[in-house]
Amino acid sequence: MSDLLVIALLILISALFAMSEIAIAASRKIKLRVMVDEGSAKAAAVLSLQEQPGAFFAMIQIALNAIAILGGIVGEQALSPYVESIIVMFYQGPLLDQLSFMVSFFLITSLFILFADLLPKRVAMIMPEVVAVRVVSSMRWVSFALTPLVLFFNGLTNLILKLFKVPAEREDIVTTEDIVAMMDAGAEYGSLQKQEYDLIGNVFDLEARFLSSVMSPREQIVYFDINESSNDIARKIIEHPHNHFLVCTGNLDKLIGSVESKDILRQVLKGEAANINENMLSKDIFYLPETLSLSEALNAFKAAVQPFAVVVNEYALVVGIVTVKDLMKGFMGDLISHQGDELIIQRDEHSWLVDGLTPVVELAKVLDIEEFPEQMHYETVAGFLIYSMKRLPKRAEYIQFSGFKFEVVDVEGIRVEQLMVSKILD
């Protein structure tokens, strides 16, 4: 009976070591750091073991192999008499001893596999951080007790790794792909809401998208000529109630400053004519090149503290205007959009009405398209059509891509105003 208790104790100790090995190896650094920030000293100890795992794994293997050998020696002797007493009821031939040994060996091996290996490792894989913080203290004491053996085997392992030019320690670098994989898993299991998932995904797009995807293009800019009449100025403010207006002499490429609409409205409220004078004109215009990514543009706005920026191309020509709100909409998307602002309107289950200025990355998300072809050459859906056709498209013309039909609905001048995107049904 004492031998059976020894076997049970060996299985229990082996299970503890097997569980510790998997739990500490599988614990996620991000979650452990959160636990450390919450004041968990044991989580900090687990992180320390992960940073220098050589000694820990050497100790685990020494302990597991010693227990396995001891279990084999004790187990066969402990179970053989009981097994033999059962077998003898059915068989009493010359192979009785060999048969008892084989059955005893199978039973001991099965017990160790099931209760000392599979079950504890499954538990450790399911909740690695919880198990790791519970066992880390005892594992550190065992490592200290086996220090001579640990130093010997760990040093020998490091020497062999160095001979084969294999890194002795793991370098943990969290890549964008890792974060995206975690986001996908969180969204799949419901721990990450759809809005949160979309928002985080949009943040990663900031570096891949450029100002041209969110700015108001040149033809949509409402501006004042310095010599414009009072009636025209008043009409523009009424029809386009913006906070700021650019002021130029002749055309947009000859900017002289900007003016706030409230200054002009103040004149009107006083009964004066709406005119632009030097006192209200701000000549400090904030320029940004169109080649900036949204991330770079946000940093530029943060440093400049300006409400808007004039976007110029490499020839110093004005191509658009962008505000902080435009940039925020670039990654906040529907969270700050209002009724009437939508660039993509779903008509039915298989068709969408799309503004020509819609960024292709936004449409790709709606249509569940992995990526548009050669996307580095354009930013908008209109740009996609122009690039694909190699010319300016006309009304009712269309192209097909990835199971969708992209048909031009409205063209104003040379600009594609709207498209109808419909799923091609077989």
Side-chain angles (χ1 to χ4, degrees), residues 133-154:
V133 296
R134 289 182 179 273
V135 301
V136 65
S137 297
S138 56
M139 291 300 105
R140 295 180 79 179
W141 280 108
V142 175
S143 295
F144 178 76
L146 299 177
T147 297
L149 290 174
V150 168
L151 290 176
F152 173 74
F153 285 107
N154 188 43

Side-chain angles (χ1 to χ4, degrees), residues 203 206-207 209 211 286-289 292-306 309 322-324 327-328 331:
V203 170
L206 291 179
E207 203 59 50
R209 293 177 59 183
L211 278 179
F286 181 39
Y287 291 95
L288 289 177
L292 286 187
S293 67
L294 299 191
S295 177
E296 292 168 333
L298 279 171
N299 289 330
F301 267 105
K302 183 179 178 181
V305 195
Q306 294 284 349
V322 65
T323 65
V324 176
L327 294 175
M328 295 295 288
F331 71 93

Side-chain angles (χ1 to χ4, degrees), residues 5-6 28 59 81 93 101 117 172 181-182 194 212 229 273 305 343 347-348 353 361 368 371 398 401 405:
L5 291 176
V6 170
R28 291 159 289 189
M59 177 275 294
F101 171 80
D117 198 58
D172 279 320
M182 292 174 64
K194 183 180 185 302
S212 54
S229 68
V305 195
L343 295 175
R347 297 176 66 253
D348 54 44
L353 192 61
V361 292
D368 196 22
E371 189 176 7
Y398 67 89
F401 169 70
K405 177 182 178 182

Side-chain angles (χ1 to χ4, degrees), residues 19 23 45 124 141 170 188 287 290 297 328 337 350 362 415:
M19 186 181 292
W141 280 108
R170 184 179 67 180
E188 181 180 351
Y287 291 95
E290 65 174 343
M328 295 295 288
S337 292
H350 303 295
E362 297 297 331
R415 191 167 78 87

Side-chain angles (χ1 to χ4, degrees), residues 372-405:
F372 280 83
E374 300 183 58
Q375 199 168 306
M376 73 290 295
H377 295 292
Y378 49 87
E379 292 280 346
T380 65
V381 181
F384 163 60
L385 258 71
I386 294 170
Y387 182 79
S388 301
M389 294 182 175
K390 307 302 180 186
R391 59 179 174 81
L392 295 174
K394 298 177 182 179
R395 187 181 288 107
E397 289 188 323
Y398 67 89
I399 62 171
Q400 294 182 357
F401 169 70
S402 191
F404 292 93
K405 177 182 178 182

Side-chain angles (χ1 to χ4, degrees), residues 25-41:
S27 292
R28 291 159 289 189
K29 287 184 179 291
I30 294 175
K31 196 163 185 178
L32 288 172
R33 290 194 179 102
V34 172
M35 295 170 70
V36 170
D37 293 338
E38 293 173 351
S40 174

